[in-house]
């Protein structure tokens, strides 16, 4: 058994995945044509040639532009279904998918359209592929807290209809200059409503944002969190409370959070006893889906079967699945 096949066969959850970040260039062109949208790139190759990022913002600019081809329910379905097929090929048994409604509602797409397309694919993945999923409605942190409240308000009427899927709230987009404190009230409201809470923190932003996400927003899981290493007391807190960090190695290289994969601190965090797992973030933009993230990281950092086993088990234990469902896979 090759290490890749060994890892493929490990039951794994993916907990940090933006569905808009799974939109592959060929589907962007197909949807642009279907929806009669003119793209600023003549062909797929020239679009892909633009995937040369210098930081988070340079990626986000392209990511939001790409998502502009999503208009109809079928578009959201097609994008999501393509991800579920990739997930199945990589041995993913459960996935918690972030989506950015504001990216779509700001263009006049109805909240219901976004939910309906993603949910139809998720339910079909459950019945046909045996992959379970939850949805994480994520606020764009470069927009105001009032805008986040509006978004939550627009989505709440759909809560019952999608209660099997929509269980959590998240926070993504431009981190620097948009600290967790900006969203304290909307997170408090989400908590009162019974949502599980996650937030991106400590990707480009400082370790203090990880601290604030935990203390001010009350999140139970941190997306990225790799900059926590700069704060020894925070590191100890993360260890003591087994706070999950959803680390995304290929993303961190593409967005220059680390210079190269062999400089990545995943192995260090794992050896210190942090509750880390591996994720793909925006695989259509960052050059690999989940299994590629595991394998390229294993290669660069010398991860052995025992490490890979721990990372896969961590992903299931850090998921929002009820304990008995986690146990089924562990
Ligand atoms: N960070 C912040 N926002 C994002 C990301 C990310 O890695 N991917 C999609 N939106
Ligand atoms: Zn992310």
């Amino acid at each position: 058994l090759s290490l890749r096949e060994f890892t493929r066969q490990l039951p794994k959850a993916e907990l940090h995945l933006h569905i808009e970040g799974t939109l592959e260039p060929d589907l962007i062109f197909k949807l642009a044509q279907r929806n009669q949208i003119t793209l600023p790139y003549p062909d797929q190759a020239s679009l892909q040639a633009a995937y040369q990022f210098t930081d988070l913002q340079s990626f986000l600019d392209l990511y939001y532009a790409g998502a502009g081809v999503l208009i109809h329910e079928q578009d959201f379905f097609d994008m999501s279904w393509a991800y579920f097929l990739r997930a199945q090929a990589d041995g993913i048994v459960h996935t918690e998918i972030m989506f950015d409604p504001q990216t779509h509602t700001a263009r006049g797409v109805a909240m219901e359209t976004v939910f309906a397309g993603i949910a139809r694919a998720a339910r079909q993945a459950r019945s046909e592929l045996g992959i379970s999923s939850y949805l994480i409605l994520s606020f764009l942190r470069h927009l105001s807290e009032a805008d986040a409240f509006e978004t939550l308000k627009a989505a709440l009427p759909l809560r019952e209809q999608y209660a099997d899927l929509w269980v959590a709230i998240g926070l993504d987009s431009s981190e620097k200059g948009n600290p967790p404190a900006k969203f304290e009230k909307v997170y408090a409201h989400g908590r009162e409503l019974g949502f599980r809470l996650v937030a991106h923190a400590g990707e480009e932003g400082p370790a203090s944002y990880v601290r604030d996400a935990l203390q001010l927003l009350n999140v139970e899981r941190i997306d990225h969190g790799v900059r926590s290493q700069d704060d020894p007391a925070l590191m100890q807190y993360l260890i003591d409370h087994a706070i999950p960090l959803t680390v995304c190695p290929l993303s961190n290289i593409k967005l220059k959070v680390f210079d190269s994969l062999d400089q990545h601190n995943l192995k260090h965090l794992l050896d210190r006893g942090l509750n880390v797992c591996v994720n793909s973030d925006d695989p259509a933009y960052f050059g690999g889906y989940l299994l590629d993230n595991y394998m390229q990281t294993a290669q660069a950092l010398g991860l052995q079967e025992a490490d890979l086993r721990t990372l896969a088990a961590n992903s299931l234990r850090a998921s929002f699945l009820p304990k008995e469902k986690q146990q089924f896979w562990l």
Side-chain angles (χ1 to χ4, degrees), residues 49-63:
Y51 291 5
Q52 306 274 356
F53 312 119
T54 52
D55 57 8
L56 174 58
Q57 193 60 50
S58 64
F59 153 70
L60 290 170
D61 293 343
L62 257 161
Y63 162 85

Side-chain angles (χ1 to χ4, degrees), residues 4-25:
R4 188 179 179 88
E5 187 55 20
F6 168 83
T7 309
R8 196 189 65 75
Q9 289 180 17
L10 290 172
K12 295 174 294 303
E14 175 145 67
L15 307 180
H16 185 159
L17 183 279
H18 303 264
I19 199 64
E20 294 90 348
T22 69
L23 197 49
E24 291 283 345

